[in-house]
Amino acid sequence: GAVVSQHPSWVICKSGTSVKIECRSLDFQATTMFWYRQFPKQSLMLMATSNEGSKATYEQGVEKDKFLINHASLTLSTLTVTSAHPEDSSFYICSARRGSYNSPLHFGNGTRLTVT
Amino acid sequence: AQTVTQSQPEMSVQEAETVTLSCTYDTSESDYYLFWYKQPPSRQMILVIRQEAYKQQNATENRFSVNFQKAAKSFSLKISDSQLGDAAMYFCAYNAGGSEKLVFGKGTKLTVNP
């Protein structure tokens, strides 16, 4: 079956530093990947749609300069949290769809980010 | 805008019993897809079941089945013969046809009691 790998699983960083999270589709090509943020005991909030070879599409209220997304290949999208602050601490999950828009999403195992 | 509502923040069920999780949605689209995802303590999102709006027949996957009421915009999940491993957060999700975005409900935390 389709597998999406996310790395790292958890990361702790200091305030003001940047953190990069990788999302890879291991056995399929994904022209589109999605980045979600999940606060404790809450639902998944779509942050942005990552498009291979073009700029990401950000949801309203998500800072583009804060959350940099790069989708340089058909199997890799990266999310960089720049100048991280404690309020950026959260669980970040990526997903990708194998096939057309009506195919189910496959999710990575998430990254827990803690900013101290 | 499409919305997904899960009115039960928490539910509990005895092992081997049946439980139904509720989900309603709001949309003006005629072509769409509905999903139930499970998120266990590991936080990995797992697809449980999928329903195409154009299909009248309710989807079934082993012990999991849905009651899809299109006119009422209702999409409930029934878990039969509940097992301890079913304990998780369950999210109902909506995807408009032709759109890549998935809209999630707020989730229902299911506890399975031995």
Side-chain angles (χ1 to χ4, degrees), chain A residues 6-98:
Chain A
Q6 194 171 335
H7 179 79
S9 298
W10 58 271
V11 58
I12 301 173
C13 70
K14 292 186 177 180
S15 235
T17 61
S18 295
V19 174
K20 180 184 285 187
I21 303 170
E22 293 187 348
C23 180
R24 295 181 183 273
S25 55
L26 297 184
D27 58 352
F28 66 101
Q29 293 183 331
T31 55
T32 304
M33 291 184 175
F34 303 90
W35 287 96
Y36 291 86
R37 183 173 181 175
Q38 187 179 30
F39 291 103
K41 299 183 180 180
Q42 293 192 25
S43 188
L44 280 72
M45 180 192 77
L46 180 64
M47 298 175 65
T49 301
S50 173
N51 305 298
E52 188 270 333
S54 64
K55 291 182 179 180
T57 305
Y58 290 82
E59 295 300 302
Q60 191 173 8
V62 178
E63 299 177 59
K64 301 178 183 182
D65 296 331
K66 175 74 169 174
F67 300 100
L68 299 180
I69 291 173
N70 183 279
H71 195 153
S73 78
L74 287 170
T75 59
L76 174 64
S77 174
T78 60
L79 168 67
T80 301
V81 183
T82 63
S83 187
H85 289 110
E87 56 264 32
D88 298 325
S89 298
S90 191
F91 192 69
Y92 294 87
I93 310 176
C94 72
S95 67
R97 185 173 275 115
R98 182 180 193 175

Side-chain angles (χ1 to χ4, degrees), chain B residues 30 39 45 56 76 79 112:
Chain B
S30 58
Q39 188 180 42
M45 294 289 285
Q56 293 186 342
S76 61
I79 306 174
V112 181

Side-chain angles (χ1 to χ4, degrees), chain B:
Chain B
Q2 293 89 1
T3 58
V4 178
T5 302
Q6 292 179 250
S7 59
Q8 306 153 316
E10 297 187 22
M11 291 283 285
S12 63
V13 63
Q14 290 296 125
E15 195 174 4
E17 297 294 311
T18 296
V19 65
T20 298
L21 308 184
S22 301
C23 173
T24 58
Y25 58 94
D26 185 26
T27 184
S28 58
E29 304 285 341
S30 58
D31 177 26
Y32 54 88
Y33 302 83
L34 297 164
F35 306 86
W36 278 98
Y37 280 89
K38 168 185 177 181
Q39 188 180 42
S42 67
R43 306 293 291 272
Q44 174 73 52
M45 294 289 285
I46 302 166
L47 176 66
V48 175
I49 202 164
R50 171 177 180 254
Q51 174 81 43
E52 294 90 340
Y54 64 85
K55 288 187 177 179
Q56 293 186 342
Q57 186 174 4
N58 290 323
T60 299
E61 287 288 343
N62 300 315
R63 298 182 294 107
F64 299 87
S65 61
V66 299
N67 183 2
F68 175 46
Q69 300 290 327
K70 191 171 184 178
K73 296 180 182 176
S74 170
F75 182 61
S76 61
L77 174 70
K78 185 172 82 171
I79 306 174
S80 304
D81 186 24
S82 297
Q83 300 176 0
L84 295 178
D86 294 333
M89 283 291 291
Y90 285 81
F91 293 98
C92 179
Y94 165 97
N95 189 170
S99 169
E100 300 237 337
K101 294 182 183 180
L102 200 60
V103 178
F104 286 93
K106 292 190 175 182
T108 296
K109 181 181 179 181
L110 178 66
T111 300
V112 181
N113 300 311

